[in-house]
Amino acid sequence: MHHGKPLSETLDRACGKIAPLWPLENFVAVNPYLGLTDQPFAAAARQLEQTGGITTTMSMSFYRDAIAKGEITHEDIAQALDASETAGKKDPKAFTASLSGEKDQNNAEAEVLSFAEAAGNACSRNWNDFFRDRISSWGSSYFDRGQAQWKAAYTDRELYEAWRVEAAVDRTPEVMGLKGFRQAISELPMDAEKAAKTALEALQIPEEATELYLRRLLRRHGGWSAYIAYLDWDNRLYGRDDGKLRQFLCALLSLEYALFRCVDKSETEQAWNAAKLHAAELSANPSPSDHLRKLLVLQEAYDIAARRKLAQKFEAAEKVQTAEKTTPAAQAVFCIDVRSELFRRNVEMVAPEIETLGFAGFFGFPVKYLPTGHDKADDHCPVLLPASHIVKDAYGSDAQYEAAASLRKADRSFSHALKSFRSGAVSAFGFVSPLGLAYLPKLFADSFRLRSDKSSTREEGYKGIDISGIPTETKIQMATGALKGMSMKDGFARLVLLVGHGAQTVNNPHASGLDCGACAGRSGEANARVAAAVLNDPEVRAGLSDAGIQIPSETYFIAGLHNTTTDEVTLFYTRNMPVSHQAEAALMQVKLRKAGAAARAERAMRMHI
């Protein structure tokens, strides 16, 4: 039945529509439309509605209220209609009048259904949630990265094979009434794609609706699908084998097949035939429904209204006579993160002689950073980009490095042993009573910030970031791209601050979401240090001069870190800093403290405290 196109291509196309989601270790924002960016927004909205019941607009009543309040005008609607693909007359008054009979609709009639959903509706059983629970139980074990105390079996096997082995011995479905479920799984081929073909033929999915149906399966298990898509993305980024999401989709198809084999056909056949017919009709007509078209026009009008209001604010603002540009007393480059933007604004308020600029917090240096005492380097760049060269901490001597590494490894070993003891099935009870009170000082210290921030604490002999692993030519290329991106080709001040950002937080699973997204959910300290070290390198400056960027000999770059929890900025001085700049750097630190106080006051007003 599926002979028109190779099944592998259909599986890959369905998987390609899923945007990757990075784990808590790199909790960063990613475009949720990433797999649909080659399509018009209306088409993407239609597909998300069909496969996931996902709405990409507000409700009809929301827009009607906005029109009634005057937030959306007829002129806004006229512009939106001109920009839309809506056929027929584009009269804003007639369009507005047509909205009066429109009701808020759910997406049920626009959605494709899986067999689990159709069968569940027919016999009043929530098979979809049941299988989501089984997949999550298996996935949390298979994808564990060392958090679990007990290592799961079969993690060394390919995804589909590992899932099939466990699904074939899992008695839970049969306890829930699916007699013969394990037998149905065992009869499927061990090869993932062959199993998928067997399932599709048994379910008799119309060929034209196959891709839509497959995407529905992935959307119904959206969290796991997005996480596995991230694994594939990361593997492709570094030239490793991918295809995990395709295997996961084959596992979902196998579950559908086994359920199909086990349920009473007299109860489900009619519902499933109707679901397949509906899927074929939706596939044959990919255009948005009339209701969705209207919502998309209204959303565009709402966006136009928002832009209009913003433009009016700028036009109404008093025009300030700008003086002839002069070299600023100092320059400070902050990340374009909204928390750093607030601090940057307050720097300009308390010290107008300082010119501030914004740039992505990795400062154009996509590096891997190997902290002292670690065996693995972490990416410090946007997650969609591959990191290039490894940088590490530099110490005055090998002995000082070894001492620092040993200290950190010992500290981690002790912490790991203590964690194992605290979370052990038996030892946890013995831990709380005799040792629990010993944590009171730590709780008080964390609550009242009585302990120092370890991110800025360094061992004896620490000299900064070692950038010797990056070839000089690469440094020059990175520096050229960074300075052009910052619009810093001339007019350099004597002192230029490169301020990354990070957050001070305790016992927070979402901690990486508070750090720098441009640094893969990590502190921007390492990137700021790398950028400053490269831009202070005489060889790099000579190369930049050849590229037409003249950095004056008296200009010096300093790395810094903005703690977005406390709005404090730490500047990282180095032994190589000229004596002539030290007084200016100290004065800069004073002004940054004043800016921090102003930023905290502004945040306090927003929080009504």
Side-chain angles (χ1 to χ4, degrees), residues 227-246:
Y227 174 72
I228 299 170
Y230 140 72
L231 295 175
D232 278 347
W233 180 286
D234 196 57
N235 284 334
R236 286 193 295 271
L237 206 59
Y238 292 102
R240 299 187 293 261
D241 293 336
D242 60 358
K244 284 181 167 42
L245 186 57
R246 188 196 310 130

Side-chain angles (χ1 to χ4, degrees), residues 80-96:
L81 285 168
D82 287 341
S84 75
E85 300 175 359
T86 304
K89 294 182 179 180
K90 297 189 175 182
D91 180 358
K93 290 185 179 179
F95 178 82
T96 305

Side-chain angles (χ1 to χ4, degrees), residues 385-402:
L385 302 178
S388 54
H389 300 276
I390 295 178
V391 298
K392 56 186 180 180
D393 295 323
Y395 288 80
S397 66
D398 290 343
Q400 288 174 331
Y401 173 82
E402 291 300 330

Side-chain angles (χ1 to χ4, degrees), residues 245-261:
L245 186 57
R246 188 196 310 130
Q247 292 196 38
F248 180 67
L249 178 53
C250 293
L252 298 180
L253 269 170
S254 298
L255 282 174
E256 289 268 288
Y257 167 80
L259 178 64
F260 178 78
R261 284 275 307 274

Side-chain angles (χ1 to χ4, degrees), residues 344-470:
R344 173 185 169 187
R345 185 171 63 250
N346 281 280
V347 169
E348 294 172 345
M349 181 183 69
V350 302
E353 72 277 12
I354 299 175
E355 179 186 34
T356 68
L357 301 95
F359 193 64
F362 76 118
F363 297 110
F365 290 85
V367 296
K368 285 178 174 285
Y369 171 52
L370 179 63
T372 302
H374 285 246
D375 299 321
K376 178 178 174 292
D378 294 323
D379 291 357
H380 277 249
C381 61
V383 293
L384 300 181
L385 302 178
S388 54
H389 300 276
I390 295 178
V391 298
K392 56 186 180 180
D393 295 323
Y395 288 80
S397 66
D398 290 343
Q400 288 174 331
Y401 173 82
E402 291 300 330
S406 297
L407 186 65
R408 292 197 189 187
K409 287 179 179 178
D411 184 56
R412 283 206 314 276
S413 296
F414 175 75
S415 298
H416 180 73
L418 186 62
K419 178 184 176 182
S420 298
F421 182 70
R422 282 191 326 214
S423 57
V426 177
S427 57
F429 295 97
F431 173 82
V432 173
S433 298
L435 297 178
L437 290 176
Y439 272 69
L440 281 176
K442 179 179 181 298
L443 290 174
F444 278 109
D446 288 341
S447 299
F448 297 101
R449 296 186 59 238
L450 300 178
R451 295 192 302 162
S452 64
D453 182 7
K454 291 184 179 180
S455 67
S456 60
T457 303
R458 297 291 175 181
E459 298 85 352
E460 181 182 355
Y462 179 74
K463 298 188 69 175
I465 291 285
D466 178 7
I467 58 172
S468 61
I470 308 177

Side-chain angles (χ1 to χ4, degrees), residues 30-49:
V30 176
N31 181 3
Y33 299 103
L34 195 60
L36 302 167
T37 51
D38 60 330
Q39 302 177 36
F41 186 77
R46 174 64 165 169
Q47 291 175 33
L48 290 171
E49 182 183 63

Side-chain angles (χ1 to χ4, degrees), residues 185-236:
I185 293 290
S186 299
E187 290 174 0
L188 283 167
M190 187 61 81
D191 180 84
E193 195 170 315
K194 290 179 180 177
K197 183 178 180 182
T198 299
L200 287 169
E201 289 176 349
L203 291 162
Q204 295 185 312
I205 308 293
E207 184 174 354
E208 65 274 16
T210 299
E211 188 178 335
L212 214 55
Y213 164 74
L214 295 176
R215 281 157 53 193
R216 175 66 170 192
L217 290 182
L218 291 169
R219 296 267 181 216
R220 290 291 83 185
H221 299 81
W224 285 112
S225 297
Y227 174 72
I228 299 170
Y230 140 72
L231 295 175
D232 278 347
W233 180 286
D234 196 57
N235 284 334
R236 286 193 295 271

